């Protein structure tokens, strides 16, 4: 019976791979079959429209005044013109069908690849007793007032936690508060606030080998998302106080400053320093970007990552574990938080042509993506602007970024949404092998280990 089921699974795998390849072939030839010469000419016209749109967006970000307005009009009008061109040629339906076939190819291909046994390693859960003296810091302003909306203070105190409600009218050193709580006997530290505040308290928890509780009451909650917590109802995170498990995850450092998500240098690091950034992010960015992108202001950066040198990028992002970059459905997520590797993303774009290449080329020269255990960011100025988990800082150059592997014990609810399974990367070469197989596939018998 098991052998029959196994053979049935292999047949499904082979036919899914064949279906993916067939859908790709149909998506490619459909415009030629129904459009003939018009279809052959309109395909490069569509690619040219994408390139022109990317170039126009570059001009929007890097110019001011009438040029920016004209570029904005061009960026909005070019896609409309391309769609109109396909509609006049009566090929608009062909474009939509081709896009659907591409979606079918990706879905079918991932089904085939998912069944090969090449699965990422899940973060191991550790069963530990509930804390007896938990200490929580709650920021009432975080996330637009989620602390009050979900009655987090009252619920945490009902579960036996000692709670300190931060005063939004005056500065309070959360690191000092956390250290004082440890000295007073706290056996768990937790935070309801932004990722920047989370990182500061997490570092104290890691230093004293105490469990750390993330309460998803921030605005974006990127760290909570990659931990698989419920971001819609932060009160569910408090369930970890009574029925929880522990995860061992990494903690990043820029010099001695901790970060749970990323440290950003260059363009974003400068924009986040703007006084009005918190109230109007788009307006602050548009005000600063022209000079930053054209290198009229800001430092000239150099990043060195485990022997690889990236010269003169406009932006460098160093992340606590690498972000997923190759898939629109998993873009901005991290597959793991315990790999012991920093993610490095560096961007250099100096013209509209390079901006178009960044969008259209599968391997643009202006984009560097790699991983490292140690990253050094140097500039031609004595201090560098840094966005550390979204918080504005300036640090003396050079800035040394490192990662402390599995240094942080994060306590999470046993029952939580979890992290969505990351779809496998599309590997067309392997799909061809799967489609050509006549017997059982050559799928490995062991799970993949990064």
């Amino acid at each position: 019976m098991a052998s029959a089921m196994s053979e049935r699974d292999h047949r499904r795998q082979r036919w899914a791979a064949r279906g993916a390849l067939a859908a790709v072939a149909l998506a490619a030839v459909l415009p030629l079959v129904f459009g003939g010469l018009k279809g052959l000419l309109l395909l490069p016209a569509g690619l040219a429209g994408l390139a022109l749109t990317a170039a126009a967006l570059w001009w929007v970000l890097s110019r001011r005044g009438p040029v920016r307005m004209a570029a904005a009009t061009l960026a909005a009008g070019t896609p409309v013109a391309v769609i109109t061109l396909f509609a006049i040629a009566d090929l608009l339906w062909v474009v939509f069908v081709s896009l659907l076939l591409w979606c079918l190819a990706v879905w079918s291909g991932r089904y085939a690849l998912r069944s090969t046994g090449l699965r990422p390693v899940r973060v191991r859960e550790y069963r530990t007793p509930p804390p007896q003296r938990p200490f929580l810091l709650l920021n009432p302003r975080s996330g637009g007032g989620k602390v009050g909306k979900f009655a987090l203070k009252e619920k945490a105190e009902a579960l036996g936690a000692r709670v300190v409600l931060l005063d939004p009218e005056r500065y309070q050193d959360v690191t000092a508060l956390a250290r004082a709580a440890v000295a007073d006997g706290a056996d768990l530290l937790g935070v309801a606030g932004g990722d920047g505040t989370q990182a500061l308290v997490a570092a104290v928890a890691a230093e004293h080998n105490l469990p750390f509780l993330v309460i998803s009451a921030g605005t974006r909650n990127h760290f909570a998302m990659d931990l698989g917590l419920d971001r819609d109802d932060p009160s569910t995170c408090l369930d970890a106080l009574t029925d929880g498990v522990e995860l061992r995850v990494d903690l990043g450092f820029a010099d001695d400053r901790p970060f749970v998500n990323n440290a950003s240098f260059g363009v974003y690091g400068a924009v986040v320093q703007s006084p009005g950034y918190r109230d109007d992010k788009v307006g602050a960015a548009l005000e600063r970007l022209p000079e930053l992108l054209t290198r009229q202001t800001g430092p000239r950066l150099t990043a060195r990552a485990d022997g690889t040198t990236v010269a003169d990028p406009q932006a460098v992002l160093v992340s606590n574990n690498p972000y997923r970059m190759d898939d629109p459905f998993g873009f901005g997520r991290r597959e793991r938080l315990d790999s012991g590797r920093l993610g490095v993303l560096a961007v250099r774009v100096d013209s509209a042509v390079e901006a178009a290449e960044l969008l259209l080329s599968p391997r643009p020269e202006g984009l560097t993506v790699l991983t490292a255990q140690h990253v050094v960011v140097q500039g031609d100025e004595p201090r560098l602007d840094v966005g550390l988990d979204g918080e504005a800082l300036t640090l003396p150059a050079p800035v040394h970024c490192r990662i402390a592997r599995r240094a942080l014990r994060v306590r999470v609810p046993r029952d939580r949404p979890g992290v969505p399974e990351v779809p496998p990367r599309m590997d067309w070469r392997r799909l061809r092998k799967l489609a050509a197989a006549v017997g059982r596939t050559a799928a490995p018998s062991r799970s993949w280990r990064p």
Side-chain angles (χ1 to χ4, degrees):
M1 176 65 71
S3 177
M5 290 296 293
S6 178
E7 185 59 36
R8 186 183 307 167
D9 290 339
H10 288 310
R11 283 200 302 270
R12 290 175 179 172
Q13 181 189 66
R14 291 196 300 273
W15 283 107
R18 292 166 184 171
L21 296 176
V24 166
L26 284 174
V29 303
L30 199 62
L32 302 179
V33 171
F34 288 92
L37 182 59
K38 287 190 299 183
L40 187 63
L41 294 175
L42 286 176
L43 283 177
L47 293 175
L50 286 175
L52 185 57
T53 301
L57 290 174
W58 165 259
W59 290 321
V60 169
L61 297 176
S62 62
R63 301 294 187 269
R64 296 185 184 277
V67 175
R68 172 177 282 177
M69 296 300 297
T73 303
L74 184 62
T78 299
V80 175
V82 171
I83 292 173
T84 303
L85 194 62
F86 276 91
I88 292 174
D90 197 24
L91 291 177
L92 191 57
W93 69 272
V94 174
V95 175
F96 287 125
V97 173
S98 293
L99 290 175
L100 289 175
L101 285 170
W102 270 104
C103 293
L104 176 62
V106 171
W107 178 84
S108 184
R110 281 179 170 165
Y111 175 84
L113 294 171
R114 190 179 287 117
S115 58
T116 61
L118 298 175
R119 297 180 183 272
V121 179
R122 292 296 185 187
V123 177
R124 181 179 176 183
E125 296 182 355
Y126 297 85
R127 296 187 178 184
T128 57
Q132 300 302 307
R133 301 190 65 184
F135 173 80
L136 304 182
L137 285 167
L138 309 183
N139 183 351
R141 281 190 175 178
S142 185
K146 289 182 180 179
V147 168
K149 178 181 177 181
F150 291 92
L152 297 181
K153 181 177 185 296
E154 295 76 13
K155 291 178 180 179
E157 289 177 337
L159 293 171
R162 178 190 164 201
V163 177
V164 170
L165 202 64
L166 296 175
D167 186 350
E169 301 301 326
R170 64 185 180 91
Y171 169 77
Q172 291 173 278
D173 188 337
V174 295
T175 299
L177 291 172
R179 292 188 187 281
V182 173
D184 195 37
D187 59 356
L188 175 142
L189 301 178
V191 177
D195 288 324
T197 306
Q198 298 273 2
L200 292 174
V201 180
V204 177
E207 178 186 348
H208 295 277
N209 194 31
L210 293 178
F212 177 65
L213 177 65
V214 176
I215 304 174
S216 57
T219 303
R220 297 179 182 83
N221 299 299
H222 288 298
F223 190 46
M225 174 181 69
D226 291 330
L227 288 169
L229 300 176
D230 189 341
R231 295 189 296 164
D232 296 324
D233 185 359
S235 67
T236 60
C237 300
L238 297 173
D239 294 342
L241 294 176
T242 54
D243 183 23
V245 293
E246 285 188 14
L247 312 176
R248 306 288 200 270
V249 303
D250 303 337
L251 189 60
F253 288 88
D255 288 342
D256 60 345
R257 298 297 299 255
F259 60 90
V260 293
N261 290 325
N262 56 63
S264 187
F265 303 84
V267 171
Y268 178 77
V271 169
V272 78
Q273 311 287 333
S274 302
Y277 177 77
R278 293 297 171 190
D279 298 325
D280 184 10
K281 293 181 173 60
V282 174
L286 290 175
E287 178 63 29
R288 294 291 308 277
L289 283 176
E291 287 75 26
L292 292 169
L293 292 176
T294 56
R295 306 181 190 279
Q296 298 176 50
T297 61
R300 306 299 288 258
L301 299 176
T302 300
R304 295 181 177 87
D306 287 357
T308 300
T309 299
V310 183
D312 211 17
Q314 282 121 323
V316 177
L317 183 76
V318 181
S319 59
N320 174 17
N321 285 261
Y323 289 109
R324 187 77 184 260
M325 299 294 298
D326 64 334
D327 181 76
F329 298 102
F331 188 84
R333 285 183 175 271
R334 289 170 285 186
E335 294 183 22
R336 298 180 59 180
L337 289 172
D338 63 347
S339 70
R341 305 286 292 178
L342 294 167
V344 182
L345 174 66
V347 179
R348 175 175 177 170
V349 180
D350 290 314
S351 68
V353 173
E354 292 179 1
E357 181 191 10
L358 197 64
L359 177 65
L360 297 178
S361 174
R363 293 183 179 179
E365 291 186 7
L367 179 65
T368 301
V369 181
L370 49 88
T371 65
Q373 290 183 317
H374 186 231
V375 179
V376 180
V377 182
Q378 176 70 61
D380 61 352
E381 298 179 3
R383 299 186 68 85
L384 298 180
D385 291 332
V386 186
L388 203 66
D389 283 339
E391 300 295 327
L393 297 174
T394 58
L395 297 176
V399 178
H400 293 259
C401 299
R402 60 182 175 86
I403 191 164
R405 189 176 191 190
R406 300 180 183 177
L408 184 60
R409 299 166 53 191
V410 180
R411 188 167 181 87
V412 297
R414 190 187 307 274
D415 183 17
R416 61 191 187 280
V419 180
E421 182 177 348
V422 178
R425 292 178 171 87
M426 289 299 292
D427 187 339
W428 296 102
R429 180 179 298 179
R430 179 152 184 79
L431 281 175
R432 288 196 299 270
K433 291 181 179 180
L434 293 175
V438 293
R440 292 189 177 185
T441 69
S445 57
R446 293 178 297 177
S447 296
W448 174 71
R449 293 293 186 270

